[in-house]
Structures are given as C-alpha cells and as structure tokens.
Amino acid sequence: MKRSLIRSMATGLATAAALTLGLTAATGAQAQSWWKPGVNTTWQWQLTGTLNTGYNVAVYDIDLFDTTAQTIAGLKAQGRKVVCYFSAGSSENWRADFGSFNAADMGKALDGWAGEKWLDTRSANVRAVMLSRLDLAVSKGCDGVEPDNVDGYTNSTGFPLTAATQLDYNKYLANAAHGRGLAIALKNDVDQLAQLEPYFDMAVNEQCNQYDECGGYSVFTSKNKPVFNAEYASKYKKNTNGARDKLCTKMTAAKIRTLVLPLDLDDAYRYSCN
C-alpha cells in the first residue's frame, strides 16, 4: 500500500481488517500458516487400489475418503507430506456425504464417469459441503488438498457457469483451505493459471504434454511452486521410439514433476521422470 495520507492508511487498514474477518466467517476457521512445497518436491499419486506406501517421495496424493487417518499418520511418520484428493466440482454417488447435496445442486453427468454429476459451484449448499470436506481433511491429518473438477465452466454442466464464477469458487476453496492450515493444489483449469497462481501452493495437471498445455505452468514453477504432472498415453508407458525419454528430458528442463501412470491411478505401473 503506497498511501501517504493518514486517513487513507486508516481506511485501508480498516478494509483489510474487514476482509480478514470476512474470510474467517466464510471459511469458519482461523487464519494460520500452512505447508508450502518447493518446485523440486517429488510425489506419488494413487487414488484407487491397495495403497503402495513404499515409494521414496516427499508427497503422497491419496483419496480423502478412502484413506484412513491411520494410513495418513503412517505416511507422515515416514516423513511424507500427504495431499488429500476430493472432487469439488462433481457429486459422486458412492461418497459418504453424497446425501448432503440437494437435487438442484446436481446437473449433467460427467462424460465417461459413472455416478458423477457436475455441481453448481455457485450454490451455498455445495460450498458448505466442501467446507465439511476440508474439515475432514484436517481431522484425518492431511497436509494439503487436491480439489478436482474445478474447471466446470469449460464443460457442459447444465448450469450457467462462467470464467468469473469459476474464479470466485476456486479462490473460495483456496482461502478456506488456508484458513484451516491446509496447502491446496490447483487441478488443471489451465486457462486460469495466471489468475489463480497467487491463491494456490502447487498445481496438479493431467496430460499437459498430450494436449500441449505445459507452458502455462511456468507461472507456478517461476514462483518455486511445484507442478505435479501425470501422463497416460501408451507411447509413454511403452517408451515408443523413446517417447518417455523425450518426455522426461522436456519436463525436467521445465521443472515439472512428471509421472507416467495408469488412468485408473491404481499403481498398476509407475514411471517417474525424477
């Protein structure tokens, strides 16, 4: 703030205090510090199947609902940080809190994902459910969270979502996570990377190489924030004509932490560029 008049400074301080109070009220939590990973942080991502806890990495990204507090405590006892995954933009009819959504909160089905429907992320009820999920992450001992499907405005959701409503929702999630002492990852939403980077501590991306979208992530890596990338194409798995070798050379130079994984994220195989 570069204001010289005392009155202006006082007004600014009062506004800042009001914003702080508003954030606390919105998140239901006290502002506090949280873990901030660096650009060279290594990771493992497994959301289904029996969790393999044997990888020598700094971060495990695992399912919030399906992983017990005891398993999370065990990972942390090994010196790992734990990021807990949940969908923030879709309902999943197998989740324990599915009944918390109202019928009006749910729109069109996600193409290719049985049991999932897009959520109206403008809904106060949807946001309340997400706050409860963040509280669950805290209670289980997660160090951070990975909210998925936070780019609904680019899909056919059944709701009039826009870039502006998406920015509002994603910032809301980030502030709520930080208010609970949780780090937060931005999942995909590649068109809003520059606008959202200040609010997020890391990024998780799927297939930015396959879709030629990796360049935008320099807004994270240039700020010493890690970008965790997963690629699924068979050419990377098989290393067809050296495809995986070339991928790893490119991603290492870009400071992006890349894994070649199965789409089911079940640890059936894993190739790491780091």
Side-chain angles (χ1 to χ4, degrees):
M1 185 187 298
K2 297 180 179 178
R3 294 178 178 175
S4 57
L5 296 177
I6 294 176
R7 181 177 178 181
S8 295
M9 291 179 67
T11 301
L13 289 171
T15 300
L19 288 172
T20 300
L21 289 172
L23 171 59
T24 301
T27 63
Q30 297 296 320
Q32 54 185 289
S33 61
W34 59 89
W35 163 62
K36 299 178 180 67
V39 71
N40 293 321
T41 303
T42 55
W43 76 308
Q44 164 61 358
W45 197 20
Q46 184 181 347
L47 300 182
T48 63
T50 302
L51 186 65
N52 182 347
T53 61
Y55 292 108
N56 184 22
V57 295
V59 171
Y60 263 76
D61 189 340
I62 50 85
D63 189 87
L64 170 63
F65 289 95
D66 294 342
T67 311
T68 66
Q70 290 75 19
T71 298
I72 291 172
L75 287 167
K76 295 176 74 168
Q78 296 175 21
R80 320 294 184 210
K81 294 292 186 181
V82 178
V83 172
C84 294
Y85 167 98
F86 64 92
S87 182
S90 70
S91 63
E92 300 161 309
N93 62 11
W94 62 91
R95 298 299 190 184
D97 63 355
F98 174 73
S100 298
F101 295 114
N102 298 323
D105 293 332
M106 296 180 282
K108 292 183 179 180
L110 273 70
D111 186 29
W113 298 95
E116 286 194 64
K117 291 184 177 181
W118 289 104
L119 290 170
D120 185 353
T121 52
R122 303 164 302 164
S123 162
N125 184 62
V126 167
R127 295 185 180 209
V129 173
M130 297 311 151
L131 295 187
S132 295
R133 291 182 174 185
L134 292 174
D135 290 338
L136 178 62
V138 171
S139 72
K140 284 193 167 185
C142 307
D143 299 290
V145 290
E146 181 212 334
D148 197 6
N149 297 309
V150 292
D151 52 3
Y153 79 103
T154 66
N155 293 272
S156 178
T157 63
F159 302 111
L161 304 181
T162 65
T165 65
Q166 193 69 66
L167 285 172
D168 179 73
Y169 183 59
N170 292 358
K171 290 175 184 179
Y172 178 86
L173 293 172
N175 289 335
H178 290 157
R180 288 161 170 75
L182 294 166
I184 186 169
L186 177 62
K187 179 68 169 290
N188 297 324
D189 196 11
V190 294
D191 293 334
Q192 297 185 325
L193 292 173
Q195 293 158 288
L196 290 172
E197 173 275 320
Y199 297 86
F200 287 79
D201 307 292
M202 56 194 130
V204 175
N205 168 271
E206 295 172 291
Q207 302 167 280
C208 71
N209 285 277
Q210 185 172 339
Y211 296 111
D212 194 24
E213 296 173 336
C214 297
Y217 283 95
S218 62
V219 298
F220 275 79
T221 57
S222 65
K223 300 289 182 61
N224 195 38
K225 296 179 179 182
V227 176
F228 301 125
N229 163 241
E231 298 291 336
Y232 308 126
S234 61
K235 66 179 180 180
Y236 298 133
K237 176 188 176 184
K238 298 175 182 177
N239 201 21
T240 306
N241 297 321
R244 188 171 69 244
D245 297 333
K246 295 172 186 175
L247 167 73
C248 288
T249 297
K250 177 183 176 182
M251 291 296 93
T252 299
K255 298 183 180 179
I256 293 176
R257 296 307 212 183
T258 295
L259 301 175
V260 176
L261 300 170
L263 184 61
D264 289 339
L265 298 174
D266 60 0
D267 196 48
Y269 59 84
R270 177 185 189 270
Y271 299 97
S272 174
C273 288
N274 309 109

